[in-house]
Amino acid sequence: QKEVEQDPGPLSVPEGAIVSLNCTYSNSAFQYFMWYRQYSRKGPELLMYTYSSGNKEDGRFTAQVDKSSKYISLFIRDSQPSDSATYLCAMSGDAGGTSYGKLTFGQGTILTVHP
Amino acid sequence: SAVISQKPSRDICQRGTSLTIQCQVDSQVTMMFWYRQQPGQSLTLIATANQGSEATYESGFVIDKFPISRPNLTFSTLTVSNMSPEDSSIYLCSVDGSHAALYNEQFFGPGTRLTVL
């Protein structure tokens, strides 16, 4: 079993839809949770960064972390064609732990938003 | 966030040869990381490079195959040695969020797309 599981999709939605992207994980030491966006032939771009459980909102993007369920989500409201990309979840552990600073990535979800 | 560049952006190499990939950052950073992204796969950490010390390799990656240099706080190189077609991949460097030494907030370069024939 992989430490981080992410639905690979692909996911295709119409413009304006609400998109939900999800990851589950098995390592209870993970404390930092990130979402990256990767356009074709580009490096990953950090979208959202959260620590421990809770919600974080940034414009049209909302990240949720439920550590009790080992489940994280990224919601995109009013999706746009420019949101079409691969979305990667990533996680790491707390300072002093063996996984601190080492990102473990999900497989990535390919999202297409069509006009 | 830091601006990161990588050279070369892509290369096609012959089996048995070696390729050195450069990563340059526009500001001083504590930690630099090297990842591999195989076709259709996610990113896998190869090693962590700290200036002034030996790189720390993840399970499945060894120094003889992937030697790394970190001569200063803005530069690192990764060499892929004695290449085989299985080494065909995108190689990415990343750096920590140096303003607060947030090693978990990493920023990535554009990647080097390597094809081994």
Side-chain angles (χ1 to χ4, degrees):
Chain A
Q1 181 190 6
K2 294 181 180 178
E3 276 192 299
V4 179
E5 297 277 0
Q6 181 176 3
D7 184 354
L11 193 59
S12 180
V13 301
E15 183 174 356
I18 296 174
V19 176
S20 172
L21 304 166
N22 310 294
C23 288
T24 59
Y25 63 95
S26 58
N27 189 344
S28 58
F30 288 147
Q31 295 282 353
Y32 296 88
F33 304 92
M34 287 135 282
W35 287 95
Y36 284 84
R37 177 175 61 195
Q38 187 175 24
Y39 291 114
S40 180
R41 299 181 180 272
K42 301 286 187 183
E45 169 195 8
L46 182 61
L47 264 183
M48 300 286 282
Y49 175 96
T50 55
Y51 175 74
S52 194
S53 287
N55 295 354
K56 185 174 184 178
E57 188 172 321
D58 184 2
R60 296 184 295 110
F61 298 89
T62 299
Q64 289 185 352
V65 176
D66 182 351
K67 289 189 64 185
S68 63
S69 302
K70 295 189 175 68
Y71 188 87
I72 71 170
S73 300
L74 178 70
F75 297 96
I76 306 174
R77 292 182 300 278
D78 187 24
S79 56
Q80 303 294 310
S82 59
D83 295 328
S84 299
T86 298
Y87 289 80
L88 299 148
C89 63
M91 311 176 186
S92 70
D94 217 340
T98 57
S99 62
Y100 183 63
K102 300 177 183 179
L103 298 186
T104 300
F105 282 84
Q107 302 95 307
T109 300
I110 301 170
L111 171 67
T112 302
V113 181
H114 50 87
Chain B
S1 62
V3 177
I4 306 161
S5 61
Q6 286 184 233
K7 290 182 180 179
S9 59
R10 59 173 56 226
D11 207 341
I12 301 173
C13 300
Q14 295 297 318
R15 180 195 300 261
T17 62
S18 298
L19 176 72
T20 296
I21 302 167
Q22 299 178 5
C23 181
Q24 179 76 52
V25 192
D26 69 341
S27 58
Q28 293 184 342
V29 294
T30 304
M31 306 290 282
M32 296 182 79
F33 306 87
W34 286 97
Y35 288 83
R36 181 173 71 182
Q37 188 173 26
Q38 293 180 303
Q41 303 294 316
S42 190
L43 285 78
T44 301
L45 179 64
I46 297 171
T48 302
N50 201 359
Q51 194 265 337
S53 63
E54 293 289 328
T56 303
Y57 289 82
E58 296 302 302
S59 175
F61 297 97
V62 295
I63 188 172
D64 289 346
K65 176 67 176 177
F66 298 101
I68 288 171
S69 76
R70 181 78 199 276
N72 57 53
L73 291 174
T74 63
F75 187 79
S76 178
T77 66
L78 169 77
T79 299
V80 186
S81 302
N82 188 25
M83 288 184 285
S84 67
E86 291 71 35
D87 295 318
S88 296
S89 192
I90 299 171
Y91 292 86
L92 297 129
C93 71
S94 74
V95 305
D96 63 271
S98 56
H99 293 298
L102 292 174
Y103 302 142
N104 299 285
E105 192 177 66
Q106 293 179 21
F107 302 95
F108 284 81
T112 295
R113 186 177 296 268
L114 171 63
T115 301
V116 184
L117 303 177

